[in-house]
Amino acid sequence: MTVPIRSSTDLAVLDRDLRRDHDAFMSGGTPRAEVPGDVVESWGRVRSGRHRSTVDTHNPGHISDDELETRRATHPLRDAVQPLQRLFAQSADDASMTLGVFDADGVLLWRGGSASVLPEADRLDLVEGSRWDENSTATTAVGLAVHLQRPTRLFGAEHYYSSLHGLFCTAVPVHDHRTGDMIAIAGLAGPAMEMQPAASAFTSALAALGEHEITLAHQRELAELRFSGQAQLAGLHGPGLLIDDDGWVAEGRGCTPPVRVAVPTDDMRQFVPGLGICVVERLGRGWQVRPAGPSGPVLAELSLDGEPTVTVTGDGEPWRTVLTRRHAQILLLLADAGEQGLTSQRLSQLLFGDDSHTVSVRAELSRLRRVVGALVSSRPYRLAPRVELRVSPDQLDVFRAPAGRRRVERQRNLA
């Protein structure tokens, strides 16, 4: 929530009213209801903490030059800074604004602005390496964005420190699509009396560009990983995946690859839909994922109470997945068949009453194996060795007698 600012807003009146609200709060009074609750709550947190002794001058802390360089070099936005600064320089109508790119801790990593405005930024200590989180610089747009993890905008005396009352500032989080985490904040600052209503939208555009650049960089990384690991992946005797450190799939072989799997670690075993229980091994800058096959007895418990589900234990971490009714029927038929298994023709007879639906059967088995992976083997279709299927007795007869088979039985009875 922010104070509405439109093209018709009298900024001088707004500035006067907010200063009165700020003074009232600092004197123990209550500001007007128009002051955003997030701002008042921040004032309260700040006043009860380390900043309660003064409201005059802000004094942000600073990280060392070495730490600043380390944070820059390892930050996902490092390659997006120049496009951001270029867009800011080309699009900013107000030459008095300063651009800031902060990390998720509120540390200013990069800034931009004209030669005429940067000296004022220096005077306000809006310099690279300075801290603008709430604990360091009290109530600011960046501090609120760090705390709330959503876009914010402050005008004039909404800032806690009176030394910042001559400013407006905006802040919009930048997220990394690979993890969903907020990894940066794009911010603008300038003279309060020169604020434009579109400042927040412009900041959002800068944040969106940052996220887009991160996505493009990730796509390039996946392409490089695909190129460097394709020979090893092709050498697998069976299906496999090539993934990055965040579990995003660069390439798949012998299967329909998912978009993403669990974040890999050394000696990890994980379930991958379509592959089953897999081992994960470091391969260059990525990871190779391949089916492990059951290393011990596997118990698959099929529940038919409501929506069918199967819960698998006994080989790696337990996992559970939802099935369609048709897939539950197929698992029951495979369990009945035992080690000899069932051909697609026989499954067609059992599921549909004749052997003319083999194409549909193969498609269903393909979809089922994407869900339960190595639990089901092929040629013929059967439960994998050392897999035991246990079934809840509820509604068991309904699932064991699919519609096609019941239709054939009724026809025989009529004859």
Side-chain angles (χ1 to χ4, degrees), residues 50 209 370:
R50 56 175 291 198
L209 175 61
R370 291 178 191 174

Side-chain angles (χ1 to χ4, degrees), residues 16-260:
R16 180 200 64 200
D17 291 343
L18 286 174
R19 288 177 185 269
R20 290 174 177 173
D21 290 318
H22 183 274
D23 291 343
F25 182 87
M26 298 306 164
S27 301
T30 302
R32 294 172 303 134
E34 288 83 352
V35 181
D38 293 335
V39 172
V40 176
E41 290 172 6
S42 176
W43 287 350
R45 289 192 299 271
V46 171
R47 188 171 62 178
S48 63
R50 56 175 291 198
H51 302 274
R52 61 182 179 273
S53 59
T54 179
V55 297
D56 296 329
T57 304
H58 69 291
N59 184 27
H62 298 77
I63 62 175
S64 67
D65 291 342
D66 288 343
E67 184 179 353
L68 174 61
E69 289 308 312
T70 298
R71 291 196 183 209
R72 283 173 161 177
T74 58
H75 199 277
L77 272 180
R78 60 188 179 277
D79 296 325
V81 173
Q82 288 188 349
L84 284 170
Q85 292 174 330
R86 186 163 53 248
L87 175 63
F88 172 73
Q90 294 172 349
S91 305
D93 294 330
D94 188 349
S96 63
M97 287 194 300
T98 301
L99 165 70
V101 179
F102 304 78
D103 66 12
D105 296 326
V107 175
L108 178 57
L109 299 184
W110 296 278
R111 70 175 186 176
S114 66
S116 61
V117 74
L118 290 181
E120 177 64 12
D122 291 339
R123 186 186 69 80
L124 294 171
D125 219 356
L126 190 61
V127 296
E128 291 159 342
S130 56
R131 292 184 175 273
W132 290 83
D133 58 286
E134 192 173 88
N135 287 332
S136 301
T137 327
T139 307
T140 63
V142 172
L144 281 176
V146 171
H147 183 77
L148 301 172
Q149 298 206 359
R150 57 178 171 80
T152 59
R153 185 200 68 209
L154 293 189
F155 178 87
E158 288 181 302
H159 295 88
Y160 185 84
Y161 282 119
S162 58
S163 55
L164 300 176
H165 285 184
L167 295 178
F168 79 85
C169 57
T170 62
V172 176
V174 178
H175 295 89
D176 189 336
H177 80 283
R178 292 171 290 189
T179 62
D181 295 335
M182 183 184 79
I183 50 93
I185 296 169
L188 295 177
M193 292 299 104
E194 299 178 22
M195 180 180 178
Q196 299 296 321
S200 293
F202 185 29
T203 314
S204 295
L206 292 168
L209 175 61
E211 293 177 346
H212 177 67
E213 291 292 330
I214 292 174
T215 300
L216 291 179
H218 184 222
Q219 291 174 349
R220 290 192 294 269
E221 291 169 1
L222 290 179
E224 293 171 0
L225 181 58
R226 187 180 307 119
F227 178 79
S228 63
Q230 60 186 359
Q232 291 89 336
L233 194 63
L236 287 178
H237 297 293
L241 302 174
L242 192 62
I243 65 175
D244 68 6
D245 287 339
D246 293 307
W248 291 88
V249 177
E251 186 66 284
R253 179 184 183 276
C255 64
T256 301
V259 175
R260 190 183 184 189

